[in-house]
Amino acid sequence: MKKKLPILFIIFSTLFFVACNSTNKQEAFIEKEKYDGPAEIDLLEFEKTKDPLLNSVPMERLWSAMNYTQALKQNFSYDGVTSIWEERGPIFDSVGPSNNNSRGGPSGFTGAYTSGRIRGFLVDAADTSGNTIFCGGVNGGIWKCTNFMSATNAPNWVQVNDFLSNMSIVSFCQNPANNDIIYVSTGEANNNSDAVRGNGIFKSIDHGATWTHLSATAGMRRSFKIVCDNAGNLYYATSGSGLLRSLDGGGSFASITPTGAGTICTDIEISSTGRLHASFGFGGTSITYKYTTSPSTVTTSTWSSGSGIRPSGATARRFEIATLGDVIYGVTTNSSNDVDSCYKSTNGGKNWSLINNTALPNIANTQGWYDLSLAVNPNNSNEIICGGVDAYLSSNAGETFNRLTYWVGNGNYVHADHHQTRWWNGGGNNPKMIIASDGGLYYSNNNGNSFVDKNKNLGIKQFYSCAIHPNLTNYFLGGAQDNGVHQLKNSGLSYSTEVTGGDGAFVDIDNDQPQYQFGSYVYNNYRRSSNGGNTWSSFSFSSSTGSFINPWDYDDTQNIILGANTNNDFFRWTDPQTAASAAGATTSVVTLTELSGKVTAVSVSPYKTGRAFFGSNNGNIVKVENSKTTNGSGGSDVQELNSPLNGVYTSCIAIGTNDSNLLAVYSNYGISSLFITNNMGNTWTDIEGNLPDMPVRWAVFHPTINNAIVIGTEAGVFTTTNVNGASTVWTPSPGFPLVRVDMLKLRKSDNCIIAATHGRGMWASNILNILPLKKITLNGKLELNDKTLLSWTMVDATNNVKYNVEYSEDGVKFNNIAKFGNETYAFNHSLKTDIGYYRVMGYEPNKAPIYSNTIVLRSIKNIKGISINILPNPIKNNGRILVSSTISGTYLWRITNIQGNILQSGKSVLQNGLVENLLFNSTKLNAGMYVLNIIQNNQTKSISFIKE
């Protein structure tokens, strides 16, 4: 839960560390040992991504890059192939034996499940059972669950829209006048270094199935909250543009910020009486509270002021509000960002009374700028919950507070850093409650007496790094934001083990002695396992050197760690396998005067022992020989390469088939991000090509070809198979979500490639699927009687190549319909559905398969005069088939899965001009996609539908 403070805030007092220095507590509370200041902020996301000319981060360019990427993906005939990425998760987790994290959890697992940071969720008002919940990851898109209240089944979370994976989902609201209209605001308002920026508001008019960006909010990067009044008017609390209102469903917005209130609106609430309450001020010297009884018509000058908040001359940094009719509560934070006062109004905000400013526990722990929530019991106006690092309950209107949840230690577990608390009646005497935190969603059905996590199947972990085991096929490590180092050991989409806690930074596994595995916490603090990842030990060298998420690399040959330290030097740990403790370890700092600035990228050569490359936050790259023994500058061991750029952030140095072939990767906006050399840096060539202006964070070469490269960008994975200077064509991987990719790693023994995303977990593939050495081009056309004529050509085909023709009714699940040797390059197929998807797979022994482009062919001859529909679609319980025709006669209907297996069928008779209304039992269908076929006179008409 350790957070990076904004520039306006002071460094956290070291008193907390002194108070937590016991052996048992140090590991559990290590996240709170130190908070960073302005320098660390600059060295993280701002420094990594800012446009050097503007000295700011132009997030609107990311929106353009995402649209560009999505357009390329939707073009089936792009000059590439269908890549095969498999999501690996984790979709739930357990806690390892060395973690010292005592979170209670489900049977069979140590520790409640966590997912990732969630700032906003929505309890669907259209579902009176409370089972339908929408939530959003801060960099993982919008998700939906339809069995949230189930006590026996895991929540069935489904990703609603991967296109929004790169948008930070912050707040939801639903139009009370039309529940099909839902809004979501994007962009974390807080200025922590790992905050994810957004682009205003998105709107759905079909109950969350599809989303449209509200152009009037373009460029709005930071959001606190959105709400709708009973008439459906929209109110938008922003950081930077104050409070905005839309009276036309988001088509246009006008500022209703009270005069003199400032441009940061931190909280808005609409009470059941129709009053709009708003608070302003954040991290500055004062806060402002206003209310209005006429939200839809209030102007900047017609707000009412509440009296009694803060003594004259006193200041506050934030004011959080909760309402129950005319009873209003508010809590304030002080200059140390701690909750210091609780106020109450019983007349709708007109007059306030100070309830408590002396008996408040350490609710926010100096993080009130980051995590602060407030909620009031719908059945008892004297009961409130204030959330910060943990949740605290007051049963006497704020006079005293008692700890309700525990992120560490023995108690009612909810992950640290609470961002939203929803408390609603739900029937009975035990109101329901959901808390959104840095670890996901936690639910109570007994008024907060106990909580259960609702994070299984919610794949929104934010990874900074990844590593691949050299021998174990499905063994990976990853460092996760605020969720420690995770160990994945299962095939497919599965769970992970959190082997160490706190923030998880860079990770690595010894390639020839994989029993030695390494993780890291912030700065130069490391974790080691010497028994294959079963148990882990801590080696805390420094919480002031290096960067917050510190770059380092492990040398498999020399068994040493090389990492960032301060300006013009690097950190060296020469006995990471054998050191018994940090105090007894052999470490040193090596000077690099040739390196301008601070190390931001480290790559150990796999070809020459002792050689390593270092990149800096000033763009330059140096080569170091004898890295285990060198004294650094002043000798022949250090050489500055002719770096391609200055004044930019080096995010990665990729090494090709030898040390002469290097790729310099830069992550700033407004620059060329990729430069390649084949002479170890004597000359460089810009290969940005057709990439949009966005950060590029990592790259790997094809294991045998330097012209084939995979890169991790702010909009997913891109590839090229033909490096060609400024004409290089980069293709997005169509099977990969539009999400930020922080790191890529390749295992050359089987060509496995893994991607660590910051918001959608880990994804794996085979690099030969992503970067094929050969190419199949498929062409097709449809003739009379719906006969498809398919033909294909292949580049560099050998006599061993065989071909499978694959067909799909939905473009997702493909089935093999024909096999051929290398003598055949054509096939005829009878299309019996409205639409068909075709592709060809070429394969030969001991090599990865190669896929052609996918083509789409639509039927030109269907059942004349007939139309069909499925209602509703998606289906929850029973479904209806609507069939109409201008021709009378008998017809057959059948429901198949996407593999073509018949699950249900029937027969009926159509009457000319009438609509046939048939019921079928969808409760016997599992969640998934299905196809309805109507057959008449040996002809078929089809439609697909989804069962939730």
Side-chain angles (χ1 to χ4, degrees), residues 4-16:
K4 291 64 71 183
L5 290 176
I7 295 175
L8 295 174
F9 296 148
I10 62 174
I11 299 176
F12 179 65
S13 169
T14 56
L15 292 176
F16 182 81

Side-chain angles (χ1 to χ4, degrees), residues 478-773:
Q481 184 275 326
D482 212 12
N483 280 281
V485 172
H486 282 254
Q487 182 186 73
L488 291 83
K489 298 192 292 186
N490 305 298
S491 61
L493 184 59
S494 187
Y495 69 90
S496 66
T497 301
E498 183 184 314
V499 293
T500 69
D503 278 282
F506 276 39
V507 294
D508 213 333
I509 300 174
D510 191 308
N511 198 53
D512 50 21
Q513 296 176 289
Q515 68 270 29
Y516 294 104
Q517 302 177 15
F518 300 90
S520 55
Y521 175 56
V522 297
Y523 303 102
N524 271 306
N525 298 302
Y526 297 85
R527 307 290 183 257
R528 182 192 71 196
S529 174
S530 57
N531 56 10
N534 292 322
T535 59
W536 295 74
S537 302
S538 297
F539 294 82
S540 298
F541 296 113
S542 173
S543 290
S544 61
T545 62
S547 297
F548 183 80
I549 299 301
N550 199 43
W552 54 269
D553 200 9
Y554 180 78
D555 189 321
D556 298 300
T557 303
Q558 300 185 109
N559 300 323
I560 64 174
I561 284 178
L562 307 173
N565 193 60
T566 59
N567 284 340
N568 311 116
D569 57 29
F570 68 89
F571 171 82
R572 179 171 61 196
W573 182 12
T574 55
D575 58 352
Q577 286 191 355
T578 58
S581 66
T586 304
T587 64
S588 56
V589 175
V590 182
T591 301
L592 293 177
T593 56
E594 294 84 355
L595 184 80
S596 174
K598 193 172 186 177
V599 169
T600 58
V602 187
S603 292
V604 172
S605 169
Y607 305 109
K608 183 177 180 182
T609 301
R611 177 179 289 168
F613 298 92
F614 295 85
S616 80
N617 61 346
N618 200 33
N620 73 320
I621 300 172
V622 300
K623 174 174 64 74
V624 175
E625 306 286 0
N626 304 310
S627 56
K628 188 174 184 178
T629 58
T630 184
N631 293 321
S633 302
S636 59
D637 288 339
V638 182
Q639 176 189 354
E640 180 180 4
L641 306 185
N642 293 324
S643 305
L645 292 178
N646 293 316
V648 296
Y649 194 99
T650 312
S651 58
C652 171
I653 304 168
I655 304 175
T657 57
N658 53 55
D659 288 338
S660 293
N661 289 277
L662 305 174
L663 182 67
V665 181
Y666 300 108
S667 56
N668 298 93
Y669 283 99
I671 64 169
S672 291
S673 300
L674 299 167
F675 291 83
I676 197 167
T677 177
N678 60 9
N679 52 25
M680 204 182 298
N682 288 329
T683 58
W684 297 84
T685 301
D686 182 349
I687 60 168
E688 177 95 348
N690 66 326
L691 280 181
D693 185 5
M694 63 180 174
V696 180
R697 296 177 182 264
W698 210 267
V700 295
F701 282 90
H702 186 281
T704 61
I705 297 179
N706 294 310
N707 275 340
I709 300 171
V710 183
I711 58 173
T713 78
E714 213 76 351
V717 170
F718 281 69
T719 67
T720 186
T721 56
N722 183 24
V723 170
N724 188 26
S727 299
T728 300
V729 175
W730 295 94
T731 301
S733 288
F736 202 90
L738 262 76
V739 67
R740 168 180 146 188
V741 179
D742 276 32
M743 187 176 286
L744 300 162
K745 287 295 180 70
L746 173 66
R747 180 170 55 205
K748 294 184 179 180
S749 61
D750 62 356
N751 295 308
C752 175
I753 185 172
I754 189 166
T757 78
H758 200 71
R760 289 286 278 110
M762 289 196 188
W763 294 67
S765 186
N766 186 299
I767 196 172
L768 298 185
N769 289 343
I770 306 170
L771 292 174
L773 302 185

Side-chain angles (χ1 to χ4, degrees), residues 67-256:
N67 280 308
Y68 172 84
T69 303
Q70 188 73 355
L72 288 180
K73 286 185 175 184
Q74 291 173 346
N75 182 3
F76 281 113
S77 61
Y78 61 85
D79 188 17
V81 297
T82 301
S83 59
I84 303 173
W85 283 96
E86 181 181 24
E87 185 178 2
R88 305 303 295 267
I91 53 172
F92 60 102
D93 58 14
S94 60
V95 178
S98 305
N99 200 333
N100 289 333
N101 187 337
S102 56
R103 53 183 166 112
S107 175
F109 289 89
T110 304
Y113 301 148
T114 64
S115 52
R117 186 159 79 241
I118 295 177
R119 285 195 174 272
F121 61 88
L122 174 71
V123 180
D124 187 358
D127 184 353
T128 57
S129 71
N131 273 307
T132 302
I133 305 288
F134 291 88
C135 80
V138 296
N139 208 31
I142 300 172
W143 294 69
K144 180 181 179 181
C145 175
T146 57
N147 67 343
F148 192 85
M149 300 298 168
S150 175
T152 56
N153 297 321
N156 59 354
W157 291 108
V158 175
Q159 173 83 0
V160 173
N161 191 327
D162 250 334
F163 181 73
L164 294 177
S165 291
N166 239 353
M167 287 289 135
S168 170
I169 308 303
V170 171
S171 177
F172 290 84
C173 73
Q174 194 168 20
N175 185 343
N178 182 352
N179 288 161
D180 284 336
I181 298 177
I182 304 174
Y183 300 92
V184 62
S185 66
T186 64
E188 292 187 279
N190 312 287
N191 196 27
N192 50 298
S193 65
D194 64 342
V196 186
R197 298 292 167 252
N199 192 32
I201 297 176
F202 292 79
K203 178 181 180 179
S204 173
I205 61 173
D206 54 10
H207 219 89
T210 60
W211 296 83
T212 302
H213 183 238
L214 299 183
S215 59
T217 64
M220 298 288 186
R221 303 175 188 174
R222 300 180 180 181
S223 305
F224 274 101
K225 196 172 186 179
I226 51 174
V227 297
C228 281
D229 64 20
N230 286 332
N233 300 312
L234 182 63
Y235 303 87
Y236 182 22
T238 76
S239 177
S241 297
L243 178 56
L244 306 176
R245 178 183 63 204
S246 176
L247 302 177
D248 58 3
S252 62
F253 285 82
S255 174
I256 56 171

